[in-house]
Amino acid sequence: NAGQQQTYSNFMPIADTAGFLMVYPEGKNDSYGNPFWNAGTAPTTIVNDTLFLNQLIDSLITSYNIDPTRVYMIGLSNGGFMSHYMACFCNKKITAIASVAGTIFSFWSPCSPDKIIPVLHIHGTADPTVPYNGNSTMLSADSTVQRWVQNNNCNATPSYSMVPNTNTFDGSTAEHYAYFKTGMTKSIVEFFKINNGAHTWPGSPFIIGTTNQDINASAEIWRFFRQFSSNDFPTSIVSNELNPTIVIYPNPATQHQNIYITITTFIREIQMIDISGKMVFYKNFSDPIQQIIIEPSVLAKGIYFVMINKTSAKKLIIN
């Protein structure tokens, strides 16, 4: 839960010294009563964590004197998956992310964000929970890193160093990989490979499995984050991803006409909401498409709002 993660990652001394605000949100409980993040594993009609996290950021901007160009997201395990998910699909308010022991689910729609997202990934090679080499549902740590190297247009060959083995009793060692974009002195993607590391947070004083002590994950994450402002990357890689053109035809429609919805990028998720705010239609796609056909006979006459990929909406009238 949030309190356990606060204690386990131990960011407080770093935040107090560097002067940044650390926020520990908590997800809703799953069927077993454990908090979780909906990183694309359930319909947003059940738990809409992308909406929750965006509203949380808005609330913090309103309530505290923070810089909206320097908002970062971190996660461990399921929280790491959620960080990658937000960076992939809902990144407008996030500058950079870090993930410890959490990768990318293979059943997500292709992760092709509209902008550069600096990413720091940390993963143990002996992780029994989120396997380093991946499995049928999740990408390997190496593949996850390479997704971001390609998205951020970094050079394929990284700067490499073996982290000094300052603690010879922790049962592990660490390697560091840094990927740079041509013309930039900042590494846009970094990866700490923890040899023999378990499903743990390096540097934590709480040892639960093989926990590397040659690096402090929290300190490394802040060192990485503090380089970046969203102003560093003012142009989008795909300029129309956040605000795609949505074409609905015919509109207005009748209950006897098929409705064709087309957008300039890809439909990963579609929701239809009536004028009272009730969701009346929902569908997500394992393989993104550019057009969907809806039979309006299942809808009552009235005004609806069609939302695509959680970011763009357009009004639909059925007479």
Side-chain angles (χ1 to χ4, degrees):
N1 60 36
Q4 292 168 334
Q5 181 59 24
Q6 179 178 0
T7 302
Y8 186 46
S9 60
N10 195 34
F11 266 99
M12 292 80 74
I14 303 169
D16 289 342
T17 302
F20 60 85
L21 185 67
M22 198 70 198
V23 180
Y24 290 88
E26 183 167 317
K28 288 189 174 182
N29 288 351
D30 62 17
S31 58
Y32 299 99
N34 300 313
F36 84 106
W37 296 109
N38 182 14
T41 55
T44 55
T45 51
I46 297 175
V47 178
N48 193 338
D49 280 327
T50 53
L51 177 62
F52 164 61
L53 292 170
N54 273 286
Q55 290 178 338
L56 174 61
I57 293 169
D58 290 340
S59 175
L60 294 168
I61 291 172
T62 301
S63 303
Y64 298 92
N65 183 28
I66 67 173
D67 182 351
T69 71
R70 294 169 60 82
V71 176
Y72 314 104
M73 187 170 176
I74 311 159
L76 168 68
S77 191
N78 178 214
F81 280 94
M82 192 68 207
S83 296
H84 283 298
Y85 189 76
M86 289 288 286
C88 281
F89 304 116
C90 201
N91 55 43
K92 188 175 182 180
K93 298 174 184 176
I94 295 174
T95 303
I97 69 155
S99 174
V100 181
T103 57
I104 290 175
F105 283 122
S106 56
F107 53 78
W108 288 354
S109 300
C111 177
S112 54
D114 62 294
K115 64 177 183 178
I116 290 175
I117 303 284
V119 173
L120 171 61
H121 190 81
I122 302 173
H123 215 113
T125 62
D127 188 329
T129 307
V130 180
Y132 182 90
N133 291 321
N135 57 29
S136 60
T137 61
M138 58 189 74
L139 299 187
S140 68
D142 290 333
S143 295
T144 298
V145 171
Q146 288 306 312
R147 284 282 184 97
W148 289 112
V149 169
Q150 294 170 14
N151 179 80
N152 294 343
N153 295 324
C154 294
N155 295 326
T157 303
S159 170
Y160 168 82
S161 63
M162 191 74 188
V163 176
N165 189 20
T166 55
N167 189 319
T168 57
F169 301 101
D170 62 8
S172 63
T173 58
E175 301 175 32
H176 179 236
Y177 300 80
Y179 295 85
F180 295 83
K181 182 177 172 61
T182 301
M184 295 193 69
T185 59
K186 301 175 182 179
S187 55
I188 308 301
V189 177
E190 291 193 23
F191 177 38
F192 280 99
K193 178 180 180 180
I194 311 300
N195 297 306
N196 202 41
H199 194 66
T200 54
W201 189 279
S204 174
F206 299 94
I207 309 301
I208 44 177
T210 303
T211 304
N212 184 267
Q213 298 294 327
D214 301 324
I215 67 168
N216 182 308
S218 301
E220 293 293 347
I221 289 169
W222 174 243
R223 172 197 58 79
F224 180 76
F225 280 169
R226 69 185 181 188
Q227 306 176 90
F228 301 110
S229 161
S230 58
N231 293 331
D232 295 332
F233 312 108
T235 57
S236 296
I237 296 172
V238 181
S239 60
N240 63 356
E241 174 72 17
L242 279 178
N243 297 291
T245 300
I246 303 174
V247 177
I248 301 177
Y249 179 83
N251 188 14
T254 72
Q255 292 178 301
H256 307 290
Q257 295 173 287
N258 284 341
I259 300 172
Y260 296 83
I261 301 174
T262 308
I263 70 171
T264 52
T265 54
F266 292 100
I267 301 174
R268 303 186 184 99
E269 181 179 270
I270 182 171
Q271 304 174 53
M272 293 182 66
I273 301 169
D274 67 18
I275 199 166
S276 70
K278 179 183 177 182
M279 184 179 298
V280 296
F281 180 85
Y282 171 85
K283 191 170 184 179
N284 61 10
F285 304 90
S286 56
D287 295 313
I289 60 175
Q290 285 190 281
Q291 185 181 79
I292 181 173
I293 302 173
I294 296 177
E295 297 179 6
S297 59
V298 299
L299 301 172
K301 295 180 180 180
I303 298 174
Y304 298 89
F305 297 93
V306 180
M307 181 171 287
I308 305 292
N309 303 340
K310 303 185 182 72
T311 59
S312 298
K314 191 164 185 175
K315 184 166 69 174
L316 164 66
I317 300 173
I318 299 180
N319 294 323

